[in-house]
Amino acid sequence: QVQLVASGGGQVQAGGSLRLSCAISGRTSTVYRMGWFRQAPGKDREFVAGMYWSEGATYYPDSVKGRFTTSRNNAENTMFLQMNSLNLEDTAVYYCAAQLVRLNHFDYWGQGTQVTVSS
C-alpha cells in the first residue's frame, strides 16, 4: 500500500496561481496511476488531473485543460498540480489519489488540502 500527503492549499485571488504537492510513500513501485480530485461544498467529487505513473502521461477534463498541469519529481516521489488562472469555481478541497497495479480504482487517498479563490 501507499500513503499520500497533500499540501500547498491556501487562499488566492481570482486569476492567480497555486501549486499543490502530493508526497507519496510506501510501496511506490506498485503505483499505476495517480490522480487529483476536488470536492466543493454540496457538490460531487470531481476529477481534475491524472497521470500514468510509469510513463508520466497526463490527461485532464475539459473544465481545467489549459489551466491545470500535473507533474512529478520521481526522485522525491512527489506529484504536483500547478493551477493557473484560478476562478471562484475552483474553490474546493483538493485530494490526490493513487491506483495501484492490478486494481481498478483509486483506492488510496491523501487527506485533502483547501483551495479558496476569492474575488
Side-chain angles (χ1 to χ4, degrees):
Q1 62 182 26
V2 296
Q3 295 78 42
L4 308 177
V5 177
S7 62
Q11 185 166 348
V12 62
Q13 286 193 323
S17 299
L18 209 57
R19 189 175 84 154
L20 306 182
S21 299
C22 178
I24 309 161
S25 60
R27 299 184 65 187
T28 56
S29 62
T30 63
V31 173
Y32 167 66
R33 187 167 55 152
M34 293 292 298
W36 287 100
F37 295 80
R38 67 186 180 188
Q39 188 163 23
K43 293 188 177 181
D44 292 334
R45 186 170 60 199
E46 178 188 12
F47 167 79
V48 296
M51 177 185 290
Y52 290 95
W53 196 244
S54 62
E55 64 264 38
T58 59
Y59 57 103
Y60 309 89
D62 288 343
S63 58
V64 305
K65 194 174 294 182
R67 299 190 301 123
F68 289 13
T69 303
T70 190
S71 61
R72 65 181 179 181
N73 181 323
N74 278 350
E76 297 182 356
N77 284 322
T78 303
M79 183 174 68
F80 304 100
L81 182 67
Q82 178 68 42
M83 304 183 293
N84 299 329
S85 301
L86 288 164
N87 56 57
L88 300 181
E89 290 69 37
D90 295 317
T91 294
V93 178
Y94 284 71
Y95 301 88
C96 57
Q99 177 187 354
L100 305 188
V101 295
R102 292 189 292 275
L103 298 180
N104 295 323
H105 305 286
F106 287 99
D107 288 323
Y108 296 89
W109 293 81
Q111 83 287 7
T113 185
Q114 176 71 47
V115 172
T116 302
V117 183
S118 59
S119 57

